[in-house]
Amino acid sequence: MSFALSVKEEVVKKSFAPCCQKAFLGGFTKYNMKLNISDHYFNFEVSSISNPVIRAIYTFFRHSFDAEIETIIVQSNKLKKHKTFILKIKKNSRYILEALHVYDFAHHQKIIEIPDDWEEHCHRAYIAGIFVACGSVNSPNTSNYHLEVQFSEEPSVLYFKKLLSKYRFLFKITKRHDKYVCYIKKSFLVSDFLKLIDAINSVLTFEDTRISRDMTNSINRLNNIEISNQQKSTKAGIEQVMMINYLVDHDLFDELNENTKKLAYQRLANPESSLQELSDLLYDKYNLELSKSGVNHLFREIKKIYYENLK
């Protein structure tokens, strides 16, 4: 099961107050339904590939309305042979769509906005219904954080963005083929959206996976830095050994002061040691206390004499 589907199934398992059941149904039906209209009948259908989701929708309709519901199961013949569960609402279908603020029959158009007098809990249930109908979220196992909701018409995507801005979500909009897509990519916004629709277990899964991966990435970055520093230290050590040997071969070694000579002896004996390790060796062997910057200063003296006498 995908992470997105597990989020949707968690959402529909929560307990909704009667008003929130209708709000959820309004969001889900508005962006999932298929209208069937002819001279002799009128009804609408909603569908899902998830059995738990369609069972919850069925229960909400039965609790909220005197609905006559026909259940249809369609088996896909594609590579992923999943089933699609369809609910056909036959009885009182027009009244139901009006009560859910889904369709304006006087003007024959979808109702985009929700009533102004709705409480926040109904807003959240409505948003949850929309996400279950046409939303998606990437698995936290991927490094690409992405949550999106797709709409067929521009007014819907603009209103959804406006509705979510009240909760400080900065959704972006793009057009993909014939769909309008409202999306967020920041991990904390994805997590906050899952909290908004009360998918708490999914939030915990998302955060746990994200933190584990971020920690692994941080450790890898530190290891890479350490390897890079070690490579730089080794390269510097080889160059310093070459300079010291040059001074010895050209009778220039005695131009070094006593502390620099002691450092040169230790570098020849320990060509791969870091500045801190050389500092510790000088203290242990000669009781000479030098900081890393002090050791580096002595190496600059060796470098200066080397280049002044380089032939």
Side-chain angles (χ1 to χ4, degrees):
M1 182 191 302
S2 70
F3 181 67
L5 192 57
S6 69
V7 171
K8 294 178 181 183
E9 292 187 356
E10 181 187 355
V11 169
V12 299
K13 288 177 182 176
K14 69 172 294 239
S15 177
F16 287 91
C19 60
C20 290
Q21 284 191 15
K22 288 185 178 180
F24 181 94
L25 280 178
F28 181 86
T29 304
K30 187 178 297 185
Y31 297 106
N32 179 280
M33 73 172 179
K34 174 186 175 184
L35 285 174
N36 300 311
I37 304 174
S38 77
D39 294 336
H40 306 290
Y41 66 86
F42 169 83
N43 59 52
F44 68 92
E45 300 173 3
V46 293
S47 63
S48 175
I49 62 170
S50 167
N51 191 297
V53 168
I54 210 67
R55 283 178 178 273
I57 299 300
Y58 179 91
T59 301
F60 290 173
F61 272 121
R62 292 302 300 269
H63 284 176
S64 302
F65 302 100
D66 180 19
E68 181 183 336
I69 306 173
E70 178 184 353
T71 304
I72 304 168
I73 301 175
V74 178
Q75 179 71 55
S76 172
N77 292 322
K78 295 181 180 179
L79 186 60
K80 294 182 180 179
K81 295 186 177 182
H82 58 71
K83 295 178 181 179
T84 299
F85 303 93
I86 300 171
L87 300 181
K88 181 177 286 189
I89 315 299
K90 294 182 175 181
K91 184 180 178 182
N92 295 328
S93 53
R94 178 167 179 161
Y95 165 75
I96 292 171
L97 292 181
E98 289 176 334
L100 292 178
H101 306 281
V102 170
Y103 200 80
D104 180 359
F105 286 92
H107 298 89
H108 303 288
Q109 63 184 14
K110 184 183 293 184
I111 299 172
I112 304 299
E113 300 187 6
I114 57 176
D116 294 332
D117 59 351
W118 276 16
E119 299 289 340
E120 180 181 328
H121 52 86
C122 288
H123 281 194
R124 294 173 64 181
Y126 177 76
I127 293 167
I130 293 176
F131 180 79
V132 173
C134 55
S136 181
V137 57
N138 281 9
S139 168
N141 291 315
T142 67
S143 58
N144 180 27
Y145 302 113
H146 185 89
L147 183 146
E148 69 176 38
V149 184
Q150 294 189 10
F151 300 91
S152 298
E153 59 278 322
E154 188 175 18
S156 289
V157 74
L158 292 174
Y159 183 70
F160 182 80
K161 181 180 180 180
K162 177 183 176 181
L163 187 61
L164 268 294
S165 67
K166 296 178 181 179
Y167 300 96
R168 299 186 179 182
F169 285 96
L170 302 176
F171 274 82
K172 296 182 179 180
I173 296 174
T174 187
K175 191 171 183 182
R176 188 185 304 149
H177 305 301
D178 61 339
K179 296 288 186 179
Y180 293 89
V181 181
C182 209
Y183 69 94
I184 47 177
K185 284 185 172 293
K186 294 186 181 295
S187 60
F188 73 92
L189 289 178
V190 173
S191 181
D192 286 348
F193 185 88
L194 298 179
K195 293 175 190 173
L196 182 73
I197 61 175
D198 285 334
I200 303 303
N201 290 333
S202 297
V203 172
L204 295 176
T205 299
F206 181 87
E207 288 296 332
D208 182 59
T209 306
R210 182 184 66 82
I211 290 170
S212 296
R213 187 179 57 256
D214 288 350
M215 183 175 294
T216 300
N217 290 339
S218 295
I219 291 172
N220 289 337
R221 282 194 296 269
L222 290 173
N223 287 337
N224 290 337
I225 291 171
E226 185 176 344
I227 291 170
S228 177
N229 289 340
Q230 183 62 45
Q231 290 173 340
K232 290 178 182 178
S233 179
T234 300
K235 181 181 178 182
I238 293 171
E239 291 177 350
Q240 289 156 1
V241 167
M242 179 271 296
M243 292 178 184
I244 294 167
N245 284 331
Y246 182 89
L247 297 184
V248 171
D249 293 341
H250 292 78
D251 297 323
L252 298 169
F253 191 74
D254 287 337
E255 293 188 21
L256 304 176
N257 63 44
E258 289 303 314
N259 286 346
T260 308
K261 288 179 180 178
K262 291 173 182 177
L263 174 61
Y265 292 140
Q266 292 307 309
R267 172 51 86 196
L268 292 174
N270 303 278
E272 295 184 359
S273 294
S274 66
L275 296 182
Q276 183 59 56
E277 289 169 340
L278 288 173
S279 174
D280 295 338
L281 288 168
L282 288 171
Y283 184 78
D284 293 340
K285 193 169 184 66
Y286 305 109
N287 199 29
L288 176 59
E289 190 170 349
L290 283 175
S291 64
K292 285 170 58 178
S293 61
V295 171
N296 195 43
H297 175 74
L298 295 184
F299 276 127
R300 284 201 295 270
E301 290 296 318
I302 294 173
K303 187 175 183 179
K304 179 182 178 183
I305 296 174
Y306 168 78
Y307 278 111
E308 285 177 350
N309 294 275
L310 185 63
K311 296 178 181 179

